[in-house]
Amino acid sequence: MPIEKLRLLFLVKAVIVPPTFLALFLWAVVVTKGGGPLVTGKVELTSTYMNTAYSALTGLNVIIGLFSSMAVNMPVSHCLETSTSRKLSVALADAAKDFGRFSKNRLSGYHQFFALPLVGTLGALTPIFVTSAHSYIWGEFQWYMPAVISQFDSRAAKFFTAFSFMLATIGNQIAAGTYPFSNDVSGLYPKYINIFRATLVISIFCVVSTPWNIIKNAAGLLAFLSGYSCLMGPMAGVIVSDYYLVKKRKLDVHELYKDHGIYWYNNGWNWRAYAAFLIGVAPLIPGFAKSIEPTLDVGGAWKIYTFAWIYGFFMCLGSYYLICTYVSPITSSLVEEAVYPPHRWDPILTDSSEDFEEKEKDSVITHEKERKYNGSGEDVELVKRRSPDTESSRRPSFIRTDSAIDDYANFKGPSLLKKTLGLQNRRHSRYIGPTTEYEASLLDLYLCDEKGEISMGHSTLRKVTEFETFQLLPDEATQRHQEELSDLDAIEEIVAPHGSALINLYFRIVHPSFPIIHKKVYLEKYGRTHREFSPPLLAAVYIMALNWWSYSSDLAQLPKPNVSDLETIAFRTLSDVMHRPKLSTVQAGLLLFQRPMDKYSWALTAQLVAIGQDLGLHLDCSNWKIPHWERGLRKRLAWALFMQDTWASLIYGRPPHISRTNWAVKPVTYADFPESAADEDEEDGSTEVEKGRTLFIQMIALTEMSKEVLESMYSQQAELEIRGAGADVAKVVLEMAKPIQLKLKSWYVALPECLHLDNIKPRKLSSTGYLHLAYLTTEITLHRRIVRTLSSDTDPVIREVCRSAAKGRLISAIDFFNRLKPEHLQSFWYFASKVDFALIGTYNSLLWVTSQTKDEADFYRRQLQEYRWALRVSSKGADFLEVASSILDRSIGVLMKAASNNDAEGENMVGLRDSGGRR
């Protein structure tokens, strides 16, 4: 039953059950004339080892144990919405949300603070007085209410009282038993268990556990409740300590629901919570055993058990704090600012284009006195920014004119950007290196303010660790900064009113496989205004999304904005923002590289690497005093820049800019990704989030091996070593290649199943193609080096083995191309892919021109012709393949012309060249 439908049941219960209890209470008081022997008689302890004080403590412990579970279901217990351990405390944490999370506001349950003591007192006193009344009337104490009800003379009284107790039992079981348990179990294993299945499980368990044996006598029930408290107290202590003392009430709520997030700890287990829990529970076990078997000798350990909840709570609270503070600090799960779920900006991506257009119309603020108009009534500045012959210039545009935030640190309300280093709005940062004019030892003499900053005139220094410092500079004095606002408006006008739909497209299709943007940060900024962005980044996101215009149900039938207008502004503004570098500058550049029709980008790669070093992307930011989300973003962005440098180096034949000796970035882990499967878009044509982040991690690992190929076999030092090897050149190159080949093989064999080429979900795009293509390109690059060293002087056995292996790689590459499906071709492809496809043909031509027999030459010639044809045909459905086809035609033009001339002269291409390019 849906939770909202339970409201009626609990409403009926609230109307019937309390009056029944009150009636029973008044009946007992009247019958016994004030309470009877159990209330007014002399107290006699039946325990053989407890005195009055310990008996009172036991009673208090029982009551606390009874209500400890129910208390955390109240909305006021929102503080327990944490996850100190995915396994240990999820039950209590979920219990806090089981009903409280459905409140319309945080105040809707505070009346329970006053109602619970009243109802609890009535619920506790009624059985005592009724039991006393039973003894007064029938001569024996009977606390079991069904037995008391059976003694009533009136059949109507029996029915209505029994019905009321049945209703109370059902309601209590749902609220305190069935629903919390079902929520917990379905949360742990949602793939297999839902609320209904979990309810069946607990129902069967309730019968198997024979609960009637627990309540058949008072001693058994009290022992059970007291034992319950010795577990609940330590649990509550760990959770409260984690939230209030360790994390200081600062949680990233989004991370609570992520696998491999910052609260994932050690493979999903927080051993600190278990250790603290055991420290609190262990001393209580002897007392628990004695409560079940009073004759058991446990020494004085039973005394602690009399206040088990209180002892366990404070013992675990202190133990967990000490472990997390001094023994094993959990620094990775600490955040400097609490991060709450966004409320204002999320809906912007779900609005239709028409709705969003209306919103943007409403938000336009016309400044009549500040604007200049031409004779036709048009804004002169808008006319200047538009191109008269474009579709965007003829379409009326309505864009928001809200002011951007000057300083996120002073922003009122929740924001992820309050302590950002690399995405500030009016300042940019530059890393202060160890050999600059700023001496690190002197910087230690300055006192930092509460933000960790040191004022230095027009600039500011910010220490992120003891060893790393950044200089923060104002944007105002940089190139064309005053034009930034008009550039942003011009970009938004080109796509208006479809900005939100395009952003949705980008995060559905591009972002999962190339996660260089923090989605929540981007949506937060766009939710306020497009004017908070760096112009080239805003344009780059739109440019990338426009490639999948037809994949949006809202956009497919509408005219497409002019991409060339966006590209013109993007590249012009990119050159501007390089003078005020931010993380968004690198993000924009990397995205612009990914355009399907982009052909040459080596010079811009060098600029981006330099900017990345300015921003400290080559450093280890794991312990920097910046927001946790920015540390993850920096790592992903750094490795994306590393990938760009390596693959651009490979496809353009240039030495890479990034050196391993100056690269300290830690490997990317799943905790560095802000999204998980829960964030996946179910619309047709989307990309899988989980597969995307695994793909990104594996692409980084492959890139490191590709860099090793370039450095060990194509660097100038390697070239000199190969040229000097003489007749043993083939053996020298094979020795170089062997360890890398083994690494590549191991990597490919261990590739997760979700990244296999044939692993495609229905109606989902898959970018795994570019990973497999990159792997084949790395193999081909390695074999090109080997084939080039083979000559007529090479040992025939070695030559045959090498050429056979090279042939196998070519066949694998062509087979890979033939296996590609529309789900692959229509997805996001990495920028190097278009050249990588051309390199397959180039590799084919190398094997053809170095063929040893006519049959071999004919084979490679046919393979090349068939591959060129397949590439040309497939390019009609994928623009980047059209670029690949033209690159290949240009690169092998000389070879094909020579082949045609030889055909005309009756010659063949056998042995045309051997190693070193000798004819």
Side-chain angles (χ1 to χ4, degrees):
M1 178 185 293
I3 189 67
E4 61 271 11
K5 293 187 178 179
L6 291 174
R7 185 181 183 89
L8 179 61
L9 172 65
F10 286 106
L11 180 62
V12 172
K13 176 176 176 284
V15 171
I16 294 177
V17 175
T20 302
F21 265 68
L22 181 61
L24 283 171
F25 175 73
L26 294 176
W27 167 79
V29 172
V30 171
V31 167
T32 58
K33 300 177 181 180
L38 190 60
V39 178
T40 60
K42 183 180 179 181
V43 177
E44 293 183 5
L45 296 177
T46 59
S47 175
T48 59
Y49 59 92
M50 285 190 187
N51 58 26
T52 304
Y54 285 114
S55 295
L57 280 173
T58 300
L60 177 64
N61 191 60
V62 168
I63 296 301
I64 294 176
L66 175 64
F67 285 101
S68 61
S69 176
M70 291 298 295
V72 296
N73 280 283
M74 295 168 61
V76 294
S77 295
H78 64 279
C79 65
L80 296 181
E81 292 190 16
T82 181
S83 177
T84 58
S85 169
R86 302 287 289 210
K87 306 298 181 183
L88 175 63
S89 63
V90 68
L92 192 55
D94 279 349
K97 307 190 294 288
D98 287 334
F99 294 101
R101 63 179 172 172
F102 296 103
S103 300
K104 294 182 179 179
N105 59 68
R106 294 175 61 182
L107 298 177
S108 59
Y110 276 90
H111 61 274
Q112 296 183 41
F113 181 80
F114 303 99
L116 187 59
L118 179 63
V119 175
T121 301
L122 179 62
L125 289 178
T126 298
I128 296 174
F129 276 78
V130 171
T131 299
S132 183
H134 189 281
S135 174
Y136 184 85
I137 299 173
W138 290 291
E140 65 173 349
F141 290 110
Q142 177 56 266
W143 72 276
Y144 188 45
M145 292 304 295
V148 176
I149 295 171
S150 66
Q151 298 284 3
F152 292 167
D153 295 329
S154 170
R155 294 179 62 189
K158 289 182 179 180
F159 172 79
F160 287 111
T161 308
F163 175 77
S164 179
F165 270 84
M166 180 183 71
L167 184 61
T169 302
I170 293 174
N172 183 69
Q173 177 59 29
I174 291 174
T178 304
Y179 199 81
F181 173 84
S182 301
N183 245 4
D184 297 343
V185 177
S186 62
L188 287 172
Y189 306 102
K191 185 176 181 180
Y192 306 103
I193 302 177
N194 54 25
I195 297 291
F196 176 73
R197 292 174 182 174
T199 302
L200 292 180
V201 172
I202 190 62
S203 299
I204 295 172
F205 177 78
C206 286
V207 176
V208 174
S209 62
T210 63
W212 48 87
N213 288 324
I214 298 175
I215 63 172
K216 69 181 179 181
N217 60 72
L221 180 61
L222 293 178
F224 171 78
L225 291 177
S226 191
Y228 192 62
S229 67
C230 81
L231 297 177
M232 294 298 294
M235 265 186 164
V238 170
I239 293 174
V240 171
S241 178
D242 179 77
Y243 183 72
Y244 282 101
L245 303 183
V246 178
K247 295 188 172 67
K248 295 179 173 57
R249 300 175 61 193
K250 296 176 181 178
L251 295 174
D252 187 335
V253 177
H254 183 73
E255 292 285 332
L256 292 173
Y257 301 92
K258 274 181 56 181
D259 287 343
H260 304 285
I262 62 175
Y263 304 115
W264 189 245
Y265 301 108
N266 299 92
N267 296 319
W269 299 82
N270 183 8
W271 66 266
R272 304 165 191 82
Y274 281 94
F277 180 77
L278 291 175
I279 290 172
V281 170
L284 302 175
I285 299 302
F288 176 64
K290 188 171 182 64
S291 70
I292 298 174
E293 181 53 62
T295 60
L296 192 64
D297 183 14
V298 296
W302 61 269
K303 296 179 181 180
I304 301 176
Y305 183 73
T306 58
F307 53 97
W309 196 96
I310 299 172
Y311 171 85
F313 177 84
F314 286 103
M315 177 59 73
C316 287
L317 183 143
S319 300
Y320 186 78
Y321 175 76
L322 292 175
I323 292 172
C324 293
T325 305
Y326 301 105
V327 179
S328 177
I330 50 175
T331 54
S332 62
S333 66
L334 301 181
V335 294
E336 295 188 8
E337 293 290 337
V339 180
Y340 303 104
H343 299 293
R344 179 182 171 211
W345 46 84
D346 269 356
I348 200 166
L349 293 184
T350 59
D351 294 332
S352 65
S353 298
E354 293 79 5
D355 293 338
F356 187 63
E357 181 175 349
E358 291 302 319
K359 289 184 179 182
E360 292 198 309
K361 285 182 182 179
D362 294 340
S363 68
V364 171
I365 302 174
T366 307
H367 303 283
E368 296 289 348
K369 296 181 180 180
E370 299 178 6
R371 290 180 177 268
K372 297 180 180 179
Y373 295 86
N374 61 16
S376 303
E378 289 189 83
D379 189 328
V380 173
E381 291 300 318
L382 295 186
V383 172
K384 288 180 180 179
R385 290 199 299 265
R386 293 181 192 168
S387 174
D389 57 349
T390 62
E391 178 65 29
S392 59
S393 67
R394 296 190 296 271
R395 182 176 58 249
S397 61
F398 301 92
I399 63 171
R400 295 172 292 173
T401 56
D402 306 75
S403 299
I405 295 172
D406 286 332
D407 188 352
Y408 290 117
N410 299 324
F411 176 64
K412 304 299 182 184
S415 173
L416 292 168
L417 292 153
K418 286 191 174 182
K419 293 190 176 182
T420 181
L421 172 65
L423 286 175
Q424 296 192 34
N425 213 17
R426 296 288 184 248
R427 296 191 298 180
H428 58 280
S429 61
R430 293 183 186 273
Y431 169 62
I432 297 179
T435 58
T436 64
E437 70 273 21
Y438 293 96
E439 174 54 48
S441 300
L442 297 180
L443 293 177
D444 294 335
L445 301 177
Y446 289 91
L447 294 177
C448 301
D449 60 18
E450 65 278 3
K451 298 179 183 178
E453 297 181 355
I454 305 169
S455 179
M456 301 282 288
H458 75 288
S459 66
T460 303
L461 300 184
R462 179 171 172 181
K463 293 180 70 68
V464 292
T465 67
E466 181 184 353
F467 307 103
E468 282 95 13
T469 304
F470 283 81
Q471 183 180 25
L472 303 179
L473 299 163
D475 292 347
E476 283 76 10
T478 58
Q479 177 176 307
R480 294 189 78 255
H481 176 260
Q482 67 277 9
E483 303 295 331
E484 193 167 273
L485 192 62
S486 60
D487 289 331
L488 286 166
D489 287 347
I491 292 168
E492 195 69 10
E493 286 166 11
I494 293 174
V495 302
H498 310 306
S500 63
L502 286 172
I503 292 173
N504 189 23
L505 262 180
Y506 173 84
F507 284 110
R508 275 179 49 206
I509 297 176
V510 179
H511 177 72
S513 301
F514 197 57
I516 63 169
I517 293 177
H518 193 288
K519 181 178 178 181
K520 292 172 73 66
V521 169
Y522 196 95
L523 298 187
E524 175 190 328
K525 294 171 73 172
Y526 194 79
R528 288 189 289 262
T529 173
H530 63 277
R531 292 179 168 185
E532 287 191 27
F533 289 99
S534 171
L537 178 60
L538 182 66
V541 168
Y542 287 150
I543 290 169
M544 290 301 298
L546 284 169
N547 292 300
W548 288 273
W549 178 267
S550 61
Y551 278 77
S552 170
S553 56
D554 293 333
L555 303 177
Q557 304 304 318
L558 300 175
K560 190 175 180 180
N562 193 302
V563 178
S564 62
D565 287 354
L566 284 173
E567 290 179 342
T568 299
I569 299 176
F571 280 100
R572 175 172 54 78
T573 56
L574 182 60
S575 65
D576 293 336
V577 298
M578 285 182 180
H579 297 276
R580 44 185 180 274
K582 302 176 184 179
L583 297 182
S584 56
T585 309
V586 180
Q587 291 170 329
L590 291 176
L591 285 179
L592 290 174
F593 284 142
Q594 312 307 316
R595 295 174 305 139
M597 304 304 290
D598 185 68
K599 296 180 181 179
Y600 191 82
S601 52
W602 180 244
L604 185 54
T605 298
Q607 289 178 293
L608 283 189
V609 170
I611 291 173
Q613 292 170 344
D614 247 3
L615 296 170
L617 289 180
H618 60 295
L619 305 174
D620 176 19
C621 64
S622 302
N623 297 312
W624 286 10
K625 296 175 183 177
I626 58 176
H628 171 79
W629 65 263
E630 187 172 343
R631 291 199 291 266
L633 175 62
R634 280 178 169 270
K635 286 175 68 175
R636 300 195 311 275
L637 198 54
W639 281 109
L641 191 59
F642 180 90
M643 289 161 53
Q644 173 69 35
D645 182 59
T646 301
W647 289 102
S649 173
L650 189 153
I651 64 177
Y652 300 133
R654 303 285 187 267
H657 304 97
I658 295 176
S659 168
R660 269 297 188 183
T661 57
N662 285 303
W663 186 257
V665 185
K666 294 289 181 65
V668 172
T669 66
Y670 285 106
D672 296 316
F673 293 84
E675 290 89 34
S676 62
D679 303 288
E680 195 165 302
D681 197 303
E682 295 301 323
E683 187 173 348
D684 289 356
S686 300
T687 304
E688 299 169 66
V689 172
E690 293 282 357
K691 179 184 288 188
R693 64 182 185 178
T694 305
L695 170 63
F696 190 72
I697 290 175
Q698 292 296 328
M699 185 64 177
I700 292 172
L702 178 61
T703 302
E704 291 186 275
M705 288 183 278
S706 298
K707 188 176 184 68
E708 190 174 347
V709 171
L710 295 177
E711 291 179 342
S712 63
M713 305 187 73
Y714 286 90
S715 65
Q716 288 303 303
Q717 183 177 351
E719 188 70 31
L720 291 175
E721 184 179 349
I722 291 172
R723 290 177 183 176
D728 295 328
V729 62
K731 292 181 180 180
V732 170
V733 171
L734 286 175
E735 286 298 318
M736 292 178 176
K738 186 176 180 179
I740 307 175
Q741 283 183 310
L742 293 175
K743 288 182 182 179
L744 284 168
K745 182 178 180 180
S746 299
W747 174 88
Y748 188 76
V749 170
L751 206 61
E753 185 179 355
C754 67
L755 297 184
H756 291 181
L757 193 63
D758 296 328
N759 191 307
I760 301 175
K761 285 188 177 181
R763 301 182 302 280
K764 291 283 187 181
L765 297 180
S766 176
S767 292
T768 53
Y770 85 69
L771 178 68
H772 288 265
L773 176 60
Y775 164 72
L776 290 168
T777 302
T778 304
E779 287 271 14
I780 284 173
T781 303
L782 188 147
H783 280 276
R784 285 176 74 183
R785 176 84 271 184
I786 296 173
V787 171
R788 288 177 186 174
T789 63
L790 303 178
S791 68
S792 56
D793 298 329
T794 305
D795 186 319
V797 175
I798 293 178
R799 185 171 62 241
E800 180 62 29
V801 169
C802 291
R803 291 194 63 82
S804 177
K807 180 180 180 181
R809 295 300 176 273
L810 175 64
I811 293 174
S812 296
I814 295 177
D815 178 65
F816 154 77
F817 180 77
N818 293 331
R819 289 169 57 200
L820 292 176
K821 299 179 180 179
E823 290 87 347
H824 297 117
L825 294 175
Q826 294 297 311
S827 67
F828 167 78
W829 284 81
Y830 192 54
F831 88 99
S833 298
K834 44 187 170 286
V835 181
D836 290 346
F837 276 115
L839 287 177
I840 295 176
T842 302
Y843 179 56
N844 192 331
S845 66
L846 171 63
L847 294 177
W848 176 16
V849 81
T850 57
S851 299
Q852 302 299 303
T853 66
K854 184 178 183 303
D855 290 341
E856 187 181 15
D858 290 341
F859 170 79
Y860 288 122
R861 181 176 185 175
R862 288 194 305 272
Q863 290 291 322
L864 182 58
Q865 290 172 336
E866 291 173 4
Y867 179 68
R868 290 179 67 200
W869 171 252
L871 201 61
R872 191 175 296 116
V873 172
S874 300
S875 66
K876 303 305 178 183
D879 292 341
F880 71 97
L881 289 182
E882 183 178 345
V883 179
S885 181
S886 64
I887 292 174
L888 177 59
D889 288 345
R890 186 171 61 250
S891 69
I892 65 171
V894 175
L895 174 63
M896 299 309 295
K897 184 177 180 180
S900 298
N901 292 336
N902 286 343
D903 287 344
E905 297 173 6
E907 298 179 4
N908 59 61
M909 303 281 289
V910 177
L912 189 61
R913 289 182 182 271
D914 59 15
S915 67
R918 294 177 298 185
R919 292 186 64 88

